[in-house]
């Protein structure tokens, strides 16, 4: 598994040239929110992923856990949160006492840093590729919330076809 500090090493200029608009735009949004709320970074990050208040952030996360449980999530599973953000679902899993192996992947370092702070037992990684970074047959459940909202409609379709586990 690739850890956050080991991913995307190399020439910055060439990586930046290949960076998609969605990654650039989302990073800029997160940084703007952090700048606008310097005394409340947790709220800034919650707003960057679409929750206006911390109460909304928690409530939406609780709803995510209910949906996951409805669709078969049980203790002991290995799950992969594609586009984990700052850990809205991860934090709710902790609040609800879920035990298992969690990996969250996102394209914004500040978001996954917050998830790592809030849920220290969970794995996080920075990933800007259209791939799920996990060994074959190692995951019980893969889920995502609001990932395609950051892409143009055509990209959602094309990227959805190209996703693979590696």
């Amino acid at each position: 598994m690739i850890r956050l500090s080991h991913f995307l090493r190399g020439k910055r200029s060439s990586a930046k040239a290949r960076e998609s608009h969605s990654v650039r735009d989302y990073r800029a949004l997160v940084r703007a929110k952090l700048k606008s709320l310097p005394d409340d970074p947790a709220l800034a990050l919650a707003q960057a992923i679409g929750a206006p208040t911390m109460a909304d952030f928690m409530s939406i996360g609780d709803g995510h856990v209910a949906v996951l449980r409805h669709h078969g999530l049980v203790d002991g599973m290995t799950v992969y949160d594609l586009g984990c953000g700052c850990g809205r679902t991860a934090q709710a899993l902790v609040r609800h006492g879920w035990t298992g192996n969690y990996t969250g992947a996102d394209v914004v370092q500040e978001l996954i840093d917050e998830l790592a702070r809030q849920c220290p037992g969970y794995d996080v990684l920075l990933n800007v590729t259209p791939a799920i970074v996990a060994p074959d047959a190692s995951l019980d459940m893969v889920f995502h919330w609001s990932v395609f909202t950051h892409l143009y409609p055509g990209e959602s379709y094309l990227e959805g076809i190209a996703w693979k586990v590696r």
Side-chain angles (χ1 to χ4, degrees), residues 65 67-81 93 97-103 121-123 137-143:
V65 171
V67 168
L68 293 172
R69 290 226 186 250
H70 175 78
H71 288 285
L73 179 70
V74 295
D75 288 348
M77 285 182 138
T78 299
V79 302
Y80 192 98
D81 187 351
L93 287 167
W98 177 78
T99 58
N101 298 305
Y102 172 97
T103 298
Y122 288 175
D123 291 324
S138 65
L139 302 171
D140 297 305
M141 183 178 282
V142 176
F143 58 89

Side-chain angles (χ1 to χ4, degrees), residues 26 49 60-61 63-65 67-68 71 73 78-90 93 102-107 115 127 129-132 139-151 155-157 159-164:
Y26 200 32
I49 66 164
I60 294 165
H64 290 173
V65 171
V67 168
L68 293 172
H71 288 285
L73 179 70
T78 299
V79 302
Y80 192 98
D81 187 351
L82 177 64
C84 62
C86 59
R88 176 171 47 200
T89 305
L93 287 167
Y102 172 97
T103 298
D106 206 284
V107 299
L115 192 158
N127 183 14
T129 67
I132 295 170
L139 302 171
D140 297 305
M141 183 178 282
V142 176
F143 58 89
H144 64 84
W145 316 101
S146 303
V147 170
F148 294 150
T149 60
H150 300 283
L151 304 175
E155 292 171 326
S156 298
Y157 176 73
E159 292 296 322
I161 292 172
W163 282 95
K164 62 183 178 185

Side-chain angles (χ1 to χ4, degrees), residues 101-115:
N101 298 305
Y102 172 97
T103 298
D106 206 284
V107 299
V108 179
Q109 186 71 53
E110 292 87 347
L111 294 174
I112 59 176
D113 287 347
E114 178 69 5
L115 192 158

Side-chain angles (χ1 to χ4, degrees), residues 26-49 86 108-114 117:
Y26 200 32
R27 286 181 180 159
L29 170 69
V30 168
R31 290 174 183 148
K33 284 290 185 180
L34 286 166
K35 188 175 180 180
S36 73
L37 291 166
D39 296 329
D40 198 348
L43 178 59
L45 294 173
Q47 288 182 355
I49 66 164
C86 59
V108 179
Q109 186 71 53
E110 292 87 347
L111 294 174
I112 59 176
D113 287 347
E114 178 69 5
R117 271 191 297 278

